[in-house]
Amino acid sequence: AQSVTQLDSHVSVSEGTPVLLRCNYSSSYSPSLFWYVQHPNKGLQLLLKYTSAATLVKGINGFEAEFKKSETSFHLTKPSAHMSDAAEYFCVVSEGTGFQKLVFGTGTRLLVSP
Amino acid sequence: DTAVSQTPKYLVTQMGNDKSIKCEQNLGHDTMYWYKQDSKKFLKIMFSYNNKELIINETVPNRFSPKSPDKAHLNLHINSLELGDSAVYFCASSQKGTAFNYGYTFGSGTRLTVV
């Protein structure tokens, strides 16, 4: 069964500094991987996805993620944090077998200080 | 607007009551889902329907009963509400065979508070 582990429950950065949110996955098959963002009291928005094409994936709002099969990782990065990036970020895995179920990580809260 | 819409957005009710949350999508998707987000923000799938047929039924108390009158609607009915049912419930949709590539489209959530 597939699963994801988000290594940090909270990450704090200063505005203008780089962001790194870590995610490791476990999957029996070639997975699809996603990052979703949830702003306070809001729904879930898809940031980016990896589906076995390019291993470096670009998403919205300047975020990127790199799929590394050898490390079973899919870390989310952004060169320069903005105050509006403060939110909860979820790493998500799906396997392409039958009806696909998205399995969520436990989330990482990104805090951005001025 | 094309979207997944849930009603109500907030629901406060007493223990023991029965309540329903409605979900509708106009994206033409054939698969819909209910997820529960607990107080620690953890999201766990509860149910999934494809073309009105139940395909995923995780370990959920039988007080929770999903109903799908057509492929654009998936409602969640909860009997005999308990304090532990307090959570945010998210509806989502996808097209069969494409969730792998595109993920889901989520509604904005229903915050249920049982007092």
Side-chain angles (χ1 to χ4, degrees), chain B residues 55-87:
Chain B
I55 54 169
I56 295 174
N57 185 356
E58 296 290 300
T59 306
V60 176
N62 57 16
R63 299 181 295 103
F64 290 77
S65 53
K67 287 184 171 53
S68 182
D70 55 61
K71 71 175 190 178
H73 295 83
L74 180 61
N75 303 323
L76 184 65
H77 188 76
I78 315 170
N79 289 327
S80 303
L81 278 154
E82 300 177 356
L83 292 175
D85 298 331
S86 296

Side-chain angles (χ1 to χ4, degrees), chain B residues 4-11 19-25 32-34 65-69 72-78 89-92 107-111:
Chain B
V4 178
S5 56
Q6 297 179 227
T7 53
K9 194 172 173 65
Y10 299 96
L11 182 55
K19 290 292 178 187
S20 292
I21 307 172
K22 295 186 176 181
C23 180
E24 175 182 7
Q25 54 93 5
M32 296 183 73
Y33 312 82
W34 278 109
S65 53
K67 287 184 171 53
S68 182
H73 295 83
L74 180 61
N75 303 323
L76 184 65
H77 188 76
I78 315 170
Y89 293 84
F90 284 98
C91 179
S108 55
T110 296
R111 184 176 294 276

Side-chain angles (χ1 to χ4, degrees), chain A residues 50-83:
Chain A
Y50 165 77
T51 56
S52 77
T55 56
L56 181 61
V57 180
K58 293 186 186 299
I60 60 173
N61 301 333
F63 283 94
E64 293 184 347
E66 187 171 7
F67 174 73
K68 292 187 177 179
K69 188 174 180 178
S70 60
E71 298 176 11
T72 60
S73 69
F74 190 58
H75 301 335
L76 182 69
T77 61
K78 183 172 180 178
S80 176
H82 192 274
M83 294 295 289

Side-chain angles (χ1 to χ4, degrees), chain A residues 4 10 15-16 25 29 31 36 39 46-47 50 54-55 58 61 65 70 73 76 79-80 83 94 105-107:
Chain A
V4 288
H10 293 81
E15 193 173 21
Y25 70 90
Y29 306 94
Y36 278 83
H39 287 93
L46 180 65
L47 263 184
Y50 165 77
T55 56
K58 293 186 186 299
N61 301 333
S70 60
S73 69
L76 182 69
S80 176
M83 294 295 289
S94 173
T106 49

